[in-house]
Amino acid sequence: MTRRLALVLGIVGVALALATAVVLATSPTVIVSLDDAWNLEMVEWRGPVLVGWALVMNVLGGGWVATILTPLLIAALAWLVRGWRGALFALIAFVASAGIVQLVKKALGRARPQDLLIASDFGSFPSGHTANAATLAVVLWFLFPTLWVAIGGAAWTVAMGFSRTVLSVHWFSDTVGGALIGAGAAFLMAAMLWRWVRLPRVLDGVEARDPRADPPR
C-alpha cells in the first residue's frame, strides 16, 4: 500500500457512494427495483436464529458500542502499535466516516423499508452500521497489514451489511453505500496522515521511520 493508492481508494469509495446518492435522488428506478427484490428475499429468509443474530449485530454495530466504545478500544490498540499519532488517526477516521454518513443521510432523506423490525433514526442511505464496520476494517488493516486481517475485516463488513437487510432496517444499496463511505473515509484519512499511520511503535523514546513509507521529499 502506498500513500497515492490510499488516496485513490479513498476518493473512489466516497465518490461512488455520493454518485449512488445522486442517482437515488434523480433516477432511482433500477436501484429501487434491485433493493425491493433483495428486501423481499430477506423477508423470506427470516427465522428466529437469523433475526436473533442480526439483532446482536445491531447492538455491536451501533449506539454507544460503535460510536464510543469501539473507537476508543481501537485507538488504544493503535497507541500500542503506532503511538499517539496512530491513535489519533484511528479516532479521526471514525469521526470522518460518521460525519460523511450523517451529511448524506440528511441531504438525501431516503425512506427506510416499511417492514423494518426495529426502530431507527432518520435517513436510510447510507447505512451507518456498515460504514462503521468498514472503517474499523480498514483502520485495523493499517495497524496490522496482513491478509488475515484484511479477510476478517471484509467478512465483518459484509456480515454487518447483511444483518441490516435481514432486519429490513436498510435497503441493500444503503449497505453498499455505507461500506464505500466507511472504507473511503479511512483510506482518505490514512493518505492525509500517512507518516503517522506508517510509523512503527516508539522505540527507546524515538519513533523510527518505517522503511515502507514514502521516501522524504
Side-chain angles (χ1 to χ4, degrees), residues 117-201:
L117 297 185
I118 57 174
S120 196
D121 59 0
F122 173 80
S124 186
F125 183 93
S127 166
H129 281 65
T130 313
N132 188 77
T135 301
L136 171 64
V138 174
V139 169
L140 281 178
W141 183 81
F142 272 109
L143 297 178
F144 306 99
T146 66
L147 177 61
W148 289 112
V149 171
I151 293 174
W156 175 253
T157 303
V158 171
M160 185 62 70
F162 180 71
S163 73
R164 306 309 284 161
T165 61
V166 168
L167 298 174
S168 291
V169 73
H170 278 291
W171 305 102
F172 176 77
S173 60
D174 299 340
T175 64
V176 174
L180 289 170
I181 288 177
F187 277 118
L188 281 175
M189 294 305 102
M192 293 175 62
L193 304 172
W194 188 250
R195 297 187 186 281
W196 289 14
V197 174
R198 305 307 288 178
L199 281 174
R201 75 173 64 187

Coordinates of all heavy atoms in Angstrom, one line a residue, residues 117-201:
L117 N -37.8 -4.3 11.3 CA -38.1 -5.0 12.5 C -37.7 -4.2 13.8 O -38.1 -4.6 14.9 CB -37.4 -6.4 12.6 CG -37.8 -7.4 11.5 CD1 -37.1 -8.7 11.7 CD2 -39.4 -7.5 11.5
I118 N -37.0 -3.2 13.6 CA -36.5 -2.4 14.8 C -36.7 -0.9 14.4 O -36.6 -0.5 13.2 CB -35.1 -2.7 15.2 CG1 -34.1 -2.4 14.0 CG2 -34.9 -4.1 15.7 CD1 -32.7 -2.5 14.4
A119 N -36.8 -0.1 15.4 CA -36.9 1.4 15.2 C -35.5 1.9 14.9 O -34.5 1.4 15.3 CB -37.5 2.1 16.4
S120 N -35.5 2.9 14.0 CA -34.2 3.5 13.6 C -34.4 5.0 13.4 O -35.5 5.5 13.3 CB -33.7 2.8 12.4 OG -32.3 3.1 12.2
D121 N -33.3 5.7 13.2 CA -33.3 7.2 13.0 C -33.6 7.5 11.6 O -33.9 6.7 10.8 CB -32.0 7.8 13.5 CG -30.8 7.3 12.7 OD1 -31.0 6.4 11.8 OD2 -29.7 7.7 13.0
F122 N -33.6 8.8 11.3 CA -33.9 9.4 10.0 C -32.8 9.1 9.0 O -31.7 9.1 9.3 CB -34.1 10.9 10.1 CG -34.3 11.6 8.8 CD1 -35.5 11.6 8.2 CD2 -33.2 12.2 8.2 CE1 -35.7 12.2 7.0 CE2 -33.4 12.9 7.0 CZ -34.6 12.9 6.4
G123 N -33.3 8.8 7.8 CA -32.4 8.6 6.7 C -31.9 7.2 6.5 O -31.2 6.6 7.4
S124 N -32.2 6.5 5.4 CA -31.8 5.1 5.2 C -30.4 5.0 4.5 O -29.7 4.1 4.8 CB -32.9 4.4 4.4 OG -32.6 3.1 4.3
F125 N -30.1 5.9 3.6 CA -28.9 5.8 2.8 C -27.9 6.9 3.4 O -28.3 8.1 3.4 CB -29.1 6.1 1.4 CG -27.9 5.9 0.5 CD1 -27.6 4.7 -0.1 CD2 -27.0 7.0 0.3 CE1 -26.4 4.6 -0.9 CE2 -25.9 6.9 -0.4 CZ -25.6 5.7 -1.0
P126 N -26.7 6.5 3.7 CA -26.1 5.2 3.7 C -26.3 4.5 5.1 O -26.7 5.2 6.0 CB -24.7 5.4 3.4 CG -24.4 6.7 4.1 CD -25.7 7.5 3.9
S127 N -25.9 3.2 5.2 CA -26.0 2.5 6.5 C -24.8 2.9 7.4 O -23.7 2.6 7.1 CB -26.0 1.0 6.2 OG -25.7 0.3 7.4
G128 N -25.2 3.5 8.5 CA -24.1 3.9 9.5 C -23.4 2.7 10.1 O -22.2 2.7 10.3
H129 N -24.2 1.6 10.4 CA -23.6 0.4 10.9 C -22.5 -0.2 10.0 O -21.4 -0.5 10.4 CB -24.7 -0.6 11.2 CG -25.5 -0.4 12.4 ND1 -26.3 0.7 12.6 CD2 -25.6 -1.2 13.5 CE1 -26.9 0.5 13.8 NE2 -26.5 -0.6 14.4
T130 N -22.9 -0.2 8.7 CA -22.0 -0.8 7.7 C -20.8 0.1 7.5 O -19.6 -0.4 7.4 CB -22.7 -1.1 6.4 OG1 -23.9 -1.7 6.6 CG2 -21.8 -1.9 5.5
A131 N -21.0 1.4 7.5 CA -19.9 2.4 7.4 C -18.9 2.2 8.5 O -17.7 2.2 8.3 CB -20.4 3.8 7.3
N132 N -19.4 2.1 9.7 CA -18.6 1.9 10.9 C -17.8 0.6 10.8 O -16.6 0.6 11.2 CB -19.4 2.0 12.2 CG -18.6 2.0 13.4 OD1 -18.0 3.0 13.8 ND2 -18.5 0.8 14.1
A133 N -18.4 -0.4 10.4 CA -17.7 -1.7 10.2 C -16.6 -1.6 9.2 O -15.5 -2.2 9.4 CB -18.7 -2.8 9.8
A134 N -16.8 -0.9 8.1 CA -15.8 -0.8 7.0 C -14.7 0.1 7.5 O -13.5 -0.2 7.2 CB -16.4 -0.2 5.8
T135 N -15.0 1.1 8.3 CA -13.9 2.0 8.8 C -13.0 1.2 9.8 O -11.8 1.2 9.8 CB -14.5 3.2 9.6 OG1 -15.3 3.9 8.7 CG2 -13.4 4.1 10.2
L136 N -13.7 0.4 10.6 CA -13.0 -0.5 11.6 C -12.1 -1.4 10.8 O -10.9 -1.6 11.2 CB -14.0 -1.3 12.4 CG -13.5 -2.4 13.3 CD1 -12.6 -1.8 14.4 CD2 -14.6 -3.2 13.9
A137 N -12.6 -2.0 9.7 CA -11.8 -3.0 9.0 C -10.5 -2.3 8.4 O -9.4 -2.9 8.5 CB -12.6 -3.6 7.9
V138 N -10.7 -1.2 7.8 CA -9.5 -0.5 7.2 C -8.5 0.0 8.2 O -7.3 -0.2 8.0 CB -10.0 0.7 6.3 CG1 -8.8 1.5 5.7 CG2 -10.9 0.2 5.1
V139 N -9.0 0.6 9.3 CA -8.1 1.0 10.3 C -7.3 -0.1 10.9 O -6.1 0.0 11.1 CB -8.9 1.7 11.5 CG1 -8.0 2.0 12.7 CG2 -9.4 3.1 10.9
L140 N -8.0 -1.3 11.2 CA -7.2 -2.4 11.7 C -6.2 -2.9 10.7 O -5.1 -3.4 11.1 CB -8.2 -3.5 12.1 CG -9.0 -3.4 13.4 CD1 -9.9 -4.5 13.6 CD2 -8.0 -3.3 14.6
W141 N -6.6 -2.9 9.4 CA -5.6 -3.3 8.4 C -4.4 -2.5 8.4 O -3.3 -2.9 8.2 CB -6.3 -3.4 7.0 CG -5.3 -3.9 6.0 CD1 -5.0 -5.2 5.7 CD2 -4.5 -3.2 5.1 NE1 -4.1 -5.3 4.7 CE2 -3.7 -4.1 4.3 CE3 -4.3 -1.8 4.9 CZ2 -2.8 -3.7 3.4 CZ3 -3.4 -1.4 3.9 CH2 -2.6 -2.3 3.2
F142 N -4.5 -1.1 8.5 CA -3.4 -0.3 8.6 C -2.5 -0.5 9.8 O -1.3 -0.4 9.8 CB -3.8 1.2 8.5 CG -4.0 1.7 7.1 CD1 -5.2 2.0 6.6 CD2 -2.9 1.9 6.3 CE1 -5.4 2.5 5.3 CE2 -3.0 2.4 5.0 CZ -4.3 2.7 4.5
L143 N -3.1 -0.9 10.9 CA -2.4 -1.3 12.1 C -1.7 -2.6 12.0 O -0.5 -2.8 12.4 CB -3.3 -1.3 13.3 CG -4.0 0.0 13.7 CD1 -4.9 -0.2 14.9 CD2 -2.9 1.1 14.0
F144 N -2.4 -3.6 11.3 CA -1.8 -4.9 11.2 C -2.0 -5.4 9.7 O -3.0 -6.1 9.4 CB -2.6 -5.9 12.1 CG -2.5 -5.5 13.5 CD1 -3.6 -4.9 14.1 CD2 -1.4 -5.7 14.3 CE1 -3.6 -4.5 15.4 CE2 -1.4 -5.3 15.7 CZ -2.5 -4.7 16.2
P145 N -1.2 -4.9 8.8 CA -1.4 -5.1 7.4 C -1.1 -6.6 6.9 O 0.0 -6.8 6.3 CB -0.4 -4.1 6.7 CG 0.7 -3.9 7.7 CD 0.0 -4.1 9.1
T146 N -2.0 -7.5 7.3 CA -1.8 -8.9 6.9 C -3.0 -9.3 6.1 O -4.1 -8.7 6.2 CB -1.6 -9.8 8.1 OG1 -2.8 -9.8 8.9 CG2 -0.5 -9.3 9.0
L147 N -2.9 -10.4 5.4 CA -4.0 -11.0 4.6 C -5.2 -11.4 5.5 O -6.3 -11.1 5.2 CB -3.5 -12.2 3.8 CG -4.6 -12.9 3.0 CD1 -5.2 -11.9 1.9 CD2 -4.0 -14.1 2.3
W148 N -4.9 -12.0 6.7 CA -6.0 -12.5 7.5 C -6.8 -11.3 8.1 O -8.0 -11.4 8.3 CB -5.4 -13.4 8.6 CG -5.0 -14.7 8.1 CD1 -3.7 -15.1 8.0 CD2 -5.8 -15.7 7.5 NE1 -3.6 -16.4 7.4 CE2 -4.9 -16.8 7.1 CE3 -7.1 -15.8 7.3 CZ2 -5.4 -17.9 6.5 CZ3 -7.6 -17.0 6.6 CH2 -6.7 -18.0 6.3
V149 N -6.1 -10.2 8.4 CA -6.8 -9.0 9.0 C -7.7 -8.5 7.9 O -8.8 -8.1 8.1 CB -5.8 -8.0 9.5 CG1 -6.5 -6.7 9.8 CG2 -5.1 -8.5 10.7
A150 N -7.2 -8.4 6.6 CA -8.0 -7.9 5.5 C -9.2 -8.8 5.3 O -10.3 -8.3 5.1 CB -7.1 -7.9 4.3
I151 N -9.0 -10.1 5.3 CA -10.2 -11.0 5.1 C -11.2 -10.9 6.2 O -12.4 -10.9 6.0 CB -9.6 -12.5 5.0 CG1 -8.8 -12.7 3.7 CG2 -10.8 -13.5 5.0 CD1 -8.2 -14.0 3.6
G152 N -10.7 -10.8 7.5 CA -11.6 -10.7 8.6 C -12.3 -9.4 8.6 O -13.5 -9.4 8.9
G153 N -11.7 -8.3 8.2 CA -12.4 -7.0 8.1 C -13.4 -7.0 7.0 O -14.5 -6.5 7.2
A154 N -13.1 -7.6 5.9 CA -14.1 -7.7 4.8 C -15.3 -8.5 5.2 O -16.4 -8.2 4.9 CB -13.4 -8.2 3.5
A155 N -15.0 -9.7 5.9 CA -16.1 -10.5 6.3 C -17.0 -9.8 7.3 O -18.2 -9.9 7.3 CB -15.5 -11.8 6.9
W156 N -16.4 -9.1 8.2 CA -17.2 -8.3 9.2 C -18.0 -7.3 8.6 O -19.2 -7.1 8.9 CB -16.2 -7.7 10.2 CG -16.9 -6.8 11.3 CD1 -16.9 -5.4 11.3 CD2 -17.7 -7.2 12.4 NE1 -17.6 -5.0 12.4 CE2 -18.1 -6.0 13.0 CE3 -18.1 -8.4 12.8 CZ2 -18.9 -6.1 14.2 CZ3 -18.9 -8.5 14.0 CH2 -19.3 -7.3 14.6
T157 N -17.5 -6.6 7.6 CA -18.3 -5.6 6.9 C -19.4 -6.2 6.2 O -20.6 -5.6 6.2 CB -17.4 -4.8 5.9 OG1 -16.3 -4.2 6.7 CG2 -18.1 -3.6 5.3
V158 N -19.2 -7.3 5.4 CA -20.3 -7.9 4.7 C -21.3 -8.4 5.6 O -22.5 -8.3 5.4 CB -19.7 -9.1 3.8 CG1 -20.8 -9.9 3.2 CG2 -18.8 -8.5 2.7
A159 N -20.9 -9.0 6.7 CA -21.9 -9.6 7.7 C -22.7 -8.5 8.3 O -23.9 -8.6 8.5 CB -21.1 -10.3 8.8
M160 N -22.1 -7.3 8.6 CA -22.9 -6.2 9.2 C -23.9 -5.7 8.2 O -25.1 -5.5 8.5 CB -21.9 -5.1 9.6 CG -22.6 -3.9 10.3 SD -23.4 -4.4 11.8 CE -21.9 -4.7 12.8
G161 N -23.5 -5.5 6.9 CA -24.4 -5.1 5.9 C -25.5 -6.1 5.7 O -26.7 -5.7 5.6
F162 N -25.2 -7.4 5.7 CA -26.3 -8.4 5.5 C -27.3 -8.3 6.7 O -28.5 -8.5 6.5 CB -25.6 -9.7 5.4 CG -26.6 -10.9 5.2 CD1 -27.3 -11.0 4.0 CD2 -26.8 -11.8 6.2 CE1 -28.2 -12.1 3.8 CE2 -27.7 -12.8 6.1 CZ -28.4 -13.0 4.9
S163 N -26.8 -8.2 7.9 CA -27.6 -8.1 9.1 C -28.6 -7.0 9.0 O -29.7 -7.1 9.5 CB -26.8 -8.1 10.3 OG -26.2 -6.8 10.5
R164 N -28.2 -5.9 8.4 CA -29.1 -4.7 8.3 C -30.2 -5.0 7.4 O -31.4 -4.5 7.6 CB -28.3 -3.5 7.8 CG -27.1 -3.1 8.7 CD -27.4 -3.0 10.1 NE -28.1 -1.8 10.5 CZ -28.8 -1.7 11.6 NH1 -28.9 -2.7 12.5 NH2 -29.4 -0.5 11.9
T165 N -30.0 -5.7 6.3 CA -31.0 -6.1 5.4 C -31.9 -7.2 5.9 O -33.1 -7.3 5.6 CB -30.5 -6.5 4.0 OG1 -29.7 -7.6 4.1 CG2 -29.7 -5.3 3.4
V166 N -31.4 -8.1 6.8 CA -32.2 -9.1 7.4 C -33.3 -8.4 8.2 O -34.5 -8.9 8.3 CB -31.4 -10.0 8.3 CG1 -32.2 -10.9 9.2 CG2 -30.5 -10.9 7.4
L167 N -32.9 -7.4 8.9 CA -33.9 -6.6 9.8 C -34.7 -5.7 9.0 O -35.6 -5.0 9.5 CB -33.1 -5.9 10.9 CG -32.3 -6.7 11.9 CD1 -31.5 -5.8 12.8 CD2 -33.2 -7.6 12.7
S168 N -34.4 -5.6 7.7 CA -35.1 -4.6 6.8 C -35.1 -3.2 7.3 O -36.0 -2.4 7.1 CB -36.6 -5.0 6.6 OG -36.7 -6.2 5.8
V169 N -34.0 -2.9 8.0 CA -33.8 -1.5 8.5 C -33.1 -0.7 7.5 O -33.0 0.5 7.5 CB -33.1 -1.5 9.9 CG1 -31.6 -1.9 9.7 CG2 -33.2 -0.2 10.6
H170 N -32.5 -1.4 6.5 CA -31.8 -0.7 5.4 C -32.1 -1.5 4.1 O -32.3 -2.7 4.1 CB -30.3 -0.7 5.6 CG -29.8 0.4 6.5 ND1 -29.9 1.7 6.1 CD2 -29.3 0.4 7.8 CE1 -29.4 2.5 7.1 NE2 -29.1 1.7 8.1
W171 N -32.0 -0.7 3.0 CA -32.0 -1.3 1.7 C -30.6 -1.9 1.4 O -29.6 -1.4 2.0 CB -32.4 -0.3 0.6 CG -33.7 0.3 0.8 CD1 -33.9 1.6 1.3 CD2 -35.0 -0.2 0.6 NE1 -35.3 1.9 1.4 CE2 -36.0 0.8 1.0 CE3 -35.5 -1.4 0.1 CZ2 -37.4 0.6 0.8 CZ3 -36.9 -1.6 0.0 CH2 -37.8 -0.6 0.3
F172 N -30.5 -2.8 0.4 CA -29.2 -3.3 0.0 C -28.2 -2.2 -0.4 O -27.1 -2.2 0.0 CB -29.4 -4.4 -1.1 CG -28.1 -4.9 -1.6 CD1 -27.4 -5.9 -0.9 CD2 -27.6 -4.5 -2.8 CE1 -26.2 -6.4 -1.4 CE2 -26.4 -5.0 -3.3 CZ -25.7 -5.9 -2.6
S173 N -28.7 -1.3 -1.2 CA -27.8 -0.2 -1.7 C -27.4 0.7 -0.6 O -26.3 1.3 -0.7 CB -28.6 0.6 -2.8 OG -29.7 1.2 -2.2
D174 N -28.1 0.8 0.5 CA -27.7 1.5 1.7 C -26.4 0.9 2.3 O -25.5 1.6 2.7 CB -28.8 1.5 2.8 CG -30.1 2.2 2.3 OD1 -30.1 2.9 1.3 OD2 -31.1 1.9 3.0
T175 N -26.4 -0.4 2.3 CA -25.2 -1.1 2.9 C -24.0 -0.9 2.0 O -22.9 -0.8 2.5 CB -25.5 -2.6 3.2 OG1 -25.8 -3.2 2.0 CG2 -26.8 -2.7 4.1
V176 N -24.2 -1.0 0.7 CA -23.1 -0.8 -0.2 C -22.5 0.6 -0.1 O -21.3 0.8 0.0 CB -23.5 -1.1 -1.7 CG1 -22.4 -0.7 -2.6 CG2 -24.0 -2.5 -1.8
G177 N -23.5 1.6 0.0 CA -23.0 3.0 0.2 C -22.3 3.2 1.5 O -21.3 3.9 1.6
G178 N -22.8 2.5 2.5 CA -22.1 2.7 3.8 C -20.7 2.1 3.8 O -19.8 2.7 4.4
A179 N -20.6 0.9 3.2 CA -19.3 0.3 3.1 C -18.3 1.2 2.3 O -17.1 1.3 2.7 CB -19.4 -1.1 2.5
L180 N -18.8 1.8 1.2 CA -17.9 2.6 0.4 C -17.5 3.9 1.2 O -16.3 4.3 1.1 CB -18.6 3.0 -0.9 CG -18.9 1.9 -1.9 CD1 -19.8 2.4 -3.0 CD2 -17.5 1.5 -2.5
I181 N -18.4 4.5 1.9 CA -18.1 5.7 2.7 C -17.1 5.3 3.9 O -16.1 6.0 4.1 CB -19.3 6.4 3.2 CG1 -20.0 7.0 2.0 CG2 -19.0 7.4 4.3 CD1 -21.4 7.7 2.4
G182 N -17.5 4.3 4.6 CA -16.6 3.9 5.7 C -15.2 3.6 5.3 O -14.3 4.1 6.0
A183 N -15.0 2.7 4.3 CA -13.7 2.4 3.9 C -13.0 3.6 3.2 O -11.8 3.9 3.5 CB -13.7 1.2 2.9
G184 N -13.8 4.3 2.4 CA -13.2 5.5 1.7 C -12.7 6.6 2.7 O -11.6 7.1 2.5
A185 N -13.5 6.8 3.7 CA -13.1 7.8 4.7 C -11.8 7.4 5.4 O -10.9 8.2 5.6 CB -14.2 8.0 5.7
A186 N -11.7 6.1 5.7 CA -10.5 5.6 6.4 C -9.3 5.7 5.5 O -8.2 6.1 5.9 CB -10.7 4.2 6.9
F187 N -9.4 5.4 4.2 CA -8.3 5.5 3.3 C -7.9 7.0 3.1 O -6.7 7.3 3.0 CB -8.7 4.9 2.0 CG -8.5 3.4 1.9 CD1 -9.6 2.5 1.7 CD2 -7.2 2.8 2.1 CE1 -9.4 1.2 1.6 CE2 -7.0 1.4 2.0 CZ -8.1 0.6 1.8
L188 N -8.9 7.8 3.0 CA -8.6 9.3 2.9 C -7.8 9.8 4.1 O -6.8 10.5 3.9 CB -9.9 10.1 2.7 CG -10.5 10.0 1.3 CD1 -11.8 10.8 1.3 CD2 -9.6 10.6 0.2
M189 N -8.2 9.4 5.3 CA -7.5 9.9 6.5 C -6.1 9.3 6.5 O -5.2 10.0 7.0 CB -8.3 9.6 7.7 CG -9.7 10.3 7.8 SD -9.5 12.1 7.7 CE -10.1 12.4 6.0
A190 N -6.0 8.1 6.1 CA -4.7 7.4 6.1 C -3.7 8.2 5.1 O -2.6 8.4 5.4 CB -4.8 6.0 5.7
A191 N -4.3 8.6 4.0 CA -3.4 9.3 3.0 C -3.0 10.7 3.5 O -1.9 11.1 3.3 CB -4.2 9.4 1.7
M192 N -4.0 11.3 4.2 CA -3.7 12.6 4.8 C -2.7 12.6 5.9 O -1.9 13.5 6.1 CB -5.0 13.3 5.2 CG -5.9 13.6 4.1 SD -7.5 14.3 4.7 CE -7.0 15.8 5.5
L193 N -2.7 11.5 6.7 CA -1.9 11.4 7.9 C -0.9 10.2 7.7 O -0.6 9.5 8.6 CB -2.7 11.1 9.1 CG -3.8 12.2 9.4 CD1 -4.7 11.7 10.5 CD2 -3.2 13.5 9.7
W194 N -0.4 10.1 6.5 CA 0.4 8.9 6.1 C 1.6 8.6 7.0 O 1.8 7.5 7.4 CB 0.9 9.1 4.6 CG 1.5 7.8 4.1 CD1 2.8 7.6 3.8 CD2 0.8 6.6 3.7 NE1 3.0 6.4 3.3 CE2 1.8 5.7 3.2 CE3 -0.5 6.2 3.8 CZ2 1.5 4.4 2.8 CZ3 -0.8 5.0 3.3 CH2 0.1 4.1 2.9
R195 N 2.4 9.6 7.3 CA 3.5 9.3 8.1 C 3.1 8.9 9.6 O 3.9 8.1 10.2 CB 4.5 10.5 8.2 CG 5.0 10.9 6.8 CD 6.0 12.0 6.8 NE 6.4 12.3 5.4 CZ 7.2 11.7 4.7 NH1 7.8 10.5 5.1 NH2 7.5 12.1 3.5
W196 N 2.0 9.4 10.0 CA 1.5 9.0 11.3 C 1.1 7.5 11.3 O 1.4 6.7 12.2 CB 0.3 9.8 11.8 CG 0.7 11.2 12.1 CD1 1.8 11.9 11.9 CD2 -0.2 12.1 12.8 NE1 1.7 13.2 12.4 CE2 0.5 13.3 12.9 CE3 -1.5 12.0 13.3 CZ2 0.0 14.5 13.6 CZ3 -2.1 13.1 13.9 CH2 -1.3 14.3 14.1
V197 N 0.4 7.2 10.2 CA -0.1 5.8 10.1 C 1.0 4.8 9.9 O 0.9 3.7 10.5 CB -1.0 5.7 8.8 CG1 -1.5 4.3 8.6 CG2 -2.2 6.6 9.0
R198 N 2.1 5.1 9.2 CA 3.1 4.1 8.9 C 4.2 4.1 9.9 O 5.1 3.2 9.8 CB 3.7 4.4 7.5 CG 2.7 4.5 6.4 CD 1.8 3.3 6.3 NE 2.5 2.1 5.8 CZ 2.0 0.9 5.7 NH1 0.8 0.7 6.1 NH2 2.7 -0.1 5.2
L199 N 4.3 4.9 10.9 CA 5.3 4.9 11.9 C 5.2 3.6 12.8 O 4.1 3.3 13.2 CB 5.3 6.1 12.8 CG 5.8 7.4 12.3 CD1 5.6 8.6 13.3 CD2 7.3 7.3 12.1
P200 N 6.3 2.9 13.0 CA 6.2 1.8 14.0 C 6.1 2.3 15.4 O 6.2 3.5 15.7 CB 7.5 1.1 13.7 CG 8.5 2.2 13.3 CD 7.6 3.1 12.5
R201 N 6.0 1.4 16.3 CA 5.8 1.8 17.7 C 7.1 2.6 18.2 O 8.2 2.4 17.7 CB 5.5 0.6 18.6 CG 6.7 -0.2 18.9 CD 6.4 -1.3 19.9 NE 5.3 -2.2 19.4 CZ 4.8 -3.1 20.2 NH1 5.1 -3.2 21.4 NH2 3.8 -3.9 19.7

